[in-house]
Amino acid sequence: SMQMRWYTSAATTLGYTYTDFDIENVTKVEFSAMNTNNMKVAVSYSTDAGATWQNAQTFDLTSSKKTYTYTVSATGVSNVRLRFDVVLPATAPTSTSRVYIDDVKVSGMK
């Protein structure tokens, strides 16, 4: 489980979390998520130990738990690290907000 918060007192500080280890042959990531105040989450991946992140996809979250799928590659990518970033909606909330992420499942080819 992950919980990322956004505070109106630090509006430019957006939370993120990532895997600090490589995963082999990744095809997709499924995760359950929800939010408060229309927050979003972007998922991306790295193949260079987190030096750069690519193929970011932003998910519009709902206020109730829902499962989302982020596709990395149909054939699998090696040495993958995954990152989840908080993304603000078009109009920033006026109160502290949260993104909740649970049940992360990474799938791959063998």
Side-chain angles (χ1 to χ4, degrees), residues 4-17:
M4 295 179 279
R5 295 182 183 188
W6 175 80
Y7 296 95
T8 55
S9 61
T12 59
T13 306
L14 297 173
Y16 66 91
T17 188

Side-chain angles (χ1 to χ4, degrees), residues 29 31 40-45 54-60 68-72 83-85 87:
V29 179
F31 60 97
K40 302 176 183 189
V41 69
V43 182
S44 56
Y45 74 91
Q54 58 190 341
N55 297 346
Q57 180 179 352
T58 300
F59 295 88
D60 294 324
Y68 300 88
T69 301
Y70 172 70
T71 301
V72 174
R83 180 172 167 147
F84 295 82
D85 288 274
V87 177

Side-chain angles (χ1 to χ4, degrees), residues 19 21-26 77-82 106-107:
T19 57
F21 52 87
D22 292 340
I23 307 168
E24 295 300 315
N25 301 317
V26 176
V77 176
S78 293
N79 304 317
V80 170
R81 294 185 184 200
L82 300 164
V106 179
S107 299

Side-chain angles (χ1 to χ4, degrees), residues 61-78:
L61 304 178
T62 62
S63 59
S64 58
K65 194 176 195 180
K66 181 179 169 188
T67 300
Y68 300 88
T69 301
Y70 172 70
T71 301
V72 174
S73 166
T75 58
V77 176
S78 293

